[in-house]
Amino acid sequence: MASTTQLETLIDLARRETDDAAKRLGAALKAVNDAEEKLNMLIGYRDEYGRKFEASQQAGITPMAYRNFQSFMEKLDSAIKGQQEVLRHTQKRGELEKTNWQTAERKRMSYSTLLDREEAKLQKLEAKRDQKAMDEHAARQAFYKR
């Protein structure tokens, strides 16, 4: 009986740990999603700016405008590389949090399995006691009927 209570305490602690890990995993996955969106936005902006530059280049462009374009594209490329690094970092963090959540969930499930086994064992003992009491009662009834 005491081990059942101890297991229930462990399950409660493991459930809290799993819930906390799930919250951290959710935050990590949101960060990955946000980083992907920002990267896609930067790439889209770069592509759009490149198309606009090509269109204006056909109309003629000054050397100064061309240098400005090249400088701006270098800055965009640098921002894209930086955002790719942010995305890699958030993806690694997401994988780590997923592993942490899976570990916590396995621990919780292990404790639950142990509790289920303990409860089944106690029910079996209770059923044995009940059967023994019924057998003794039947034996006394048979003895007194003689």
Side-chain angles (χ1 to χ4, degrees):
M1 193 72 90
S3 65
T4 302
T5 306
Q6 292 169 344
L7 282 172
E8 287 170 347
T9 302
L10 288 174
I11 289 170
D12 187 47
L13 291 171
R15 186 175 293 122
R16 285 188 220 157
E17 184 180 339
T18 301
D19 290 347
D20 290 345
K23 288 175 188 172
R24 288 190 308 273
L25 174 58
L29 293 177
K30 183 182 181 327
V32 169
N33 189 47
D34 292 348
E36 286 174 341
E37 285 179 8
K38 189 171 182 182
L39 177 61
N40 290 334
M41 180 196 68
L42 285 169
I43 291 170
Y45 186 63
R46 185 190 189 287
D47 292 345
E48 181 183 332
Y49 191 74
R51 281 191 300 274
K52 285 182 182 179
F53 178 75
E54 285 178 23
S56 67
Q57 200 174 19
Q58 290 178 357
I61 189 167
T62 65
M64 179 71 138
Y66 184 74
R67 281 192 298 276
N68 287 342
F69 167 76
Q70 282 184 319
S71 174
F72 186 69
M73 289 301 270
E74 287 172 4
K75 288 177 184 174
L76 271 176
D77 287 341
S78 177
I80 288 170
K81 286 179 185 169
Q83 190 58 32
Q84 288 170 333
E85 185 61 33
V86 168
L87 178 58
R88 277 191 293 279
H89 176 72
T90 58
Q91 287 171 331
K92 285 180 185 176
R93 179 77 181 163
E95 287 300 314
L96 175 66
E97 293 301 343
K98 180 180 177 183
T99 301
N100 290 342
W101 174 79
Q102 289 172 332
T103 300
E105 182 65 9
R106 271 194 301 278
K107 182 170 29 172
R108 186 192 64 78
M109 294 291 287
S110 296
Y111 291 147
S112 293
T113 300
L114 289 174
L115 179 63
D116 292 345
R117 288 179 187 162
E118 184 69 21
E119 287 174 345
K121 185 173 136 184
L122 291 174
Q123 286 176 348
K124 204 173 188 180
L125 284 172
E126 185 67 29
K128 254 186 183 176
R129 277 188 230 130
D130 288 348
Q131 185 63 46
K132 184 178 179 182
M134 287 176 24
D135 290 348
E136 288 175 0
H137 179 69
R140 277 194 296 274
Q141 290 292 331
F143 179 75
Y144 288 119
K145 282 187 178 179
R146 287 192 213 177

